[in-house]
Amino acid sequence: MLSTNYLRIYLLTLISFLVGTSQFIIAGVLDKIATSLDISISSAGQLVTVFALASGLGTPILTVLVSKYSLKKQLLIALFIFLVGAFLTPLNLGYDVLIFARIITGIGTILFVVVAYVVAGRLAGEGKQGSGMSYIALGFSLSQVAGVPLGRIIANIYNWQMIFYIVGVLVLLGSIVVMLSFQNRTPQKMPSLKEQMYILKDKRVALSLSITVFAFITFSAITTFITPLIFSIEKVSEHTLALIFTILGIASVIGSKSGATIADKIGVTRVLSATLIITAISLIAMNVFSSSLSVFITMLTIWNITIWMFGPTQGLNLSKMVPTHASILLSLNSSFVQVGFALGAFLGGITIESFSIHSILLLGVMSTLIALAIYLYTLKKHT
């Protein structure tokens, strides 16, 4: 029989899946948003930029501001912010309002995930914190597996706005359950912004976080414009596109689950080096074989596995770098991931406007090689 605490963890997992869908689904319906608003694909891509930038810069500040409240109140504050953005998104009030809605949604999404990690760890109990937190990560990554293709199907049957109404209603119901069934647990002491910034004075930490940024520029540039990129090779059916998204989602789960595990066995250095090298090679192969959809999707799947392996392995790398400040480093890394997301969508949009849709593959190669060069430099300086 399941304990009450684990039922609560499963609820947080479900909500993390829903809020994760709100982030990733934009890439899945980018073409439909562009058409409905009569804007370019690159302009629609900036919805990803503002979401990521707001969450990357705003969440650390808001996390400190709400840290004085109980964890239950922190969850409810995050969910309230998310719901404001989620219900504002589909109202067809124009591009500017949609941008504002994505900013609000971005802050609420990542704030919820950050607090949910802490709550799930507490609920799991002593010695099982990692297991509890892994459920939140699983829910978030599963939003790519099921959320994106399911959202595409809903958008085809109704419209893209319906996705956010459904997500909003389900999150609202989840919020009510949280309000009624969660206890007012004492908050975990959060590092101040001054403490978070102080750790950046360590050059090795700063360089490592820059690796995170460049790696996720690659990820964001490709995933934001993945639908028009696939359509540029072959105008596949909606059924086929949903299948491709599902394959990529499964690949993301495989990568996120295996990265840190493999790193424990063969070492962080080997995994980080290998993932960056394979990422670059797979992107080059995608560009070379861009006329063959089957080869392109195969290489795209390999790329997706390796880039998702990089994320948790980089987190492990940073937590070992300064063990006494592991929580600060992980918090900063999450913010830098979102900065990479924002820059990737922004630079990807500019690249497409200036050159062609396939040029984002070369942007990805360059960004990955920069990340690899920085990583090799840090290894050389500290060996």
Side-chain angles (χ1 to χ4, degrees), residues 112-172:
F112 170 80
V113 172
V114 169
V115 179
Y117 270 123
V118 178
V119 175
R122 292 274 194 96
L123 290 171
E126 192 66 33
K128 297 181 180 178
Q129 293 94 332
S131 174
M133 294 168 69
S134 70
Y135 281 100
I136 307 304
L138 179 62
F140 203 68
S141 60
L142 280 176
S143 62
Q144 260 209 326
V145 179
V148 174
L150 186 61
R152 184 78 190 188
I153 292 170
I154 293 171
N156 289 326
I157 297 174
Y158 299 101
N159 50 52
W160 68 266
Q161 291 93 336
M162 182 59 69
I163 302 165
F164 290 93
Y165 284 125
I166 293 173
V167 168
V169 169
L170 291 175
V171 171
L172 177 60

Side-chain angles (χ1 to χ4, degrees), residues 71 109 111 165 265 307 329:
L71 291 173
T109 296
L111 179 61
Y165 284 125
K265 294 180 179 179
I307 201 73
L329 286 170

Side-chain angles (χ1 to χ4, degrees), residues 292-343:
S292 171
L293 183 63
S294 59
V295 176
F296 182 86
I297 296 302
T298 299
M299 299 312 301
L300 184 63
T301 303
I302 293 171
W303 169 82
N304 213 39
I305 291 172
T306 56
I307 201 73
W308 277 89
M309 285 179 69
F310 170 86
T313 308
Q314 173 69 337
L316 182 62
N317 177 45
L318 284 162
S319 65
K320 288 183 175 182
M321 198 170 290
V322 188
T324 54
H325 293 83
S327 61
I328 299 178
L329 286 170
L330 290 173
S331 174
L332 285 170
N333 191 51
S334 295
S335 295
F336 277 74
V337 165
Q338 294 301 324
V339 170
F341 263 108
L343 288 173

Side-chain angles (χ1 to χ4, degrees), residues 49-298:
T49 300
V50 296
F51 181 104
L53 197 58
S55 57
L57 299 179
T59 302
I61 298 173
L62 197 57
T63 300
V64 173
L65 293 177
V66 302
S67 62
K68 62 183 178 180
Y69 299 111
S70 70
L71 291 173
K72 176 181 175 179
K73 287 183 179 179
Q74 290 181 40
L75 284 174
L76 292 173
I77 289 169
L79 290 171
F80 175 76
I81 295 170
F82 172 85
L83 287 168
V84 171
F87 283 120
L88 191 59
T89 296
L91 293 182
N92 286 326
L93 298 177
Y95 182 68
D96 291 341
V97 175
L98 185 55
I99 287 286
F100 176 72
R102 292 304 289 168
I103 290 173
I104 299 299
T105 310
I107 293 173
T109 296
I110 307 304
L111 179 61
F112 170 80
V113 172
V114 169
V115 179
Y117 270 123
V118 178
V119 175
R122 292 274 194 96
L123 290 171
E126 192 66 33
K128 297 181 180 178
Q129 293 94 332
S131 174
M133 294 168 69
S134 70
Y135 281 100
I136 307 304
L138 179 62
F140 203 68
S141 60
L142 280 176
S143 62
Q144 260 209 326
V145 179
V148 174
L150 186 61
R152 184 78 190 188
I153 292 170
I154 293 171
N156 289 326
I157 297 174
Y158 299 101
N159 50 52
W160 68 266
Q161 291 93 336
M162 182 59 69
I163 302 165
F164 290 93
Y165 284 125
I166 293 173
V167 168
V169 169
L170 291 175
V171 171
L172 177 60
L173 293 174
S175 302
I176 294 172
V177 177
V178 169
M179 184 170 60
L180 296 176
S181 64
F182 277 55
Q183 298 173 349
N184 279 307
R185 293 174 177 267
T186 55
Q188 184 182 48
K189 186 180 183 300
M190 295 297 295
S192 67
L193 288 176
K194 185 178 180 181
E195 289 174 316
Q196 293 185 49
M197 292 302 104
Y198 179 78
I199 198 70
L200 290 176
K201 291 184 178 181
D202 186 324
K203 290 183 179 179
R204 190 183 180 195
V205 169
L207 285 171
S208 293
L209 288 171
S210 71
I211 295 168
T212 295
V213 172
F214 282 107
F216 279 91
I217 285 175
T218 299
F219 179 79
S220 178
I222 306 301
T223 55
T224 300
F225 302 101
I226 190 63
T227 301
L229 183 60
I230 291 171
F231 282 165
S232 71
I233 299 170
E234 184 180 324
K235 186 68 176 178
V236 299
S237 67
E238 289 293 338
H239 175 76
T240 301
L241 187 62
L243 177 61
I244 291 171
F245 283 147
T246 302
I247 292 170
L248 295 177
I250 293 171
S252 71
V253 173
I254 292 172
S256 61
K257 280 293 184 181
S258 62
T261 303
I262 296 173
D264 282 336
K265 294 180 179 179
I266 68 172
V268 168
T269 301
R270 289 180 179 178
V271 174
L272 285 180
S273 300
T275 53
L276 291 172
I277 292 170
I278 295 172
T279 295
I281 292 173
S282 57
L283 286 170
I284 293 171
M286 275 188 261
N287 193 56
V288 172
F289 298 104
S290 59
S291 59
S292 171
L293 183 63
S294 59
V295 176
F296 182 86
I297 296 302
T298 299

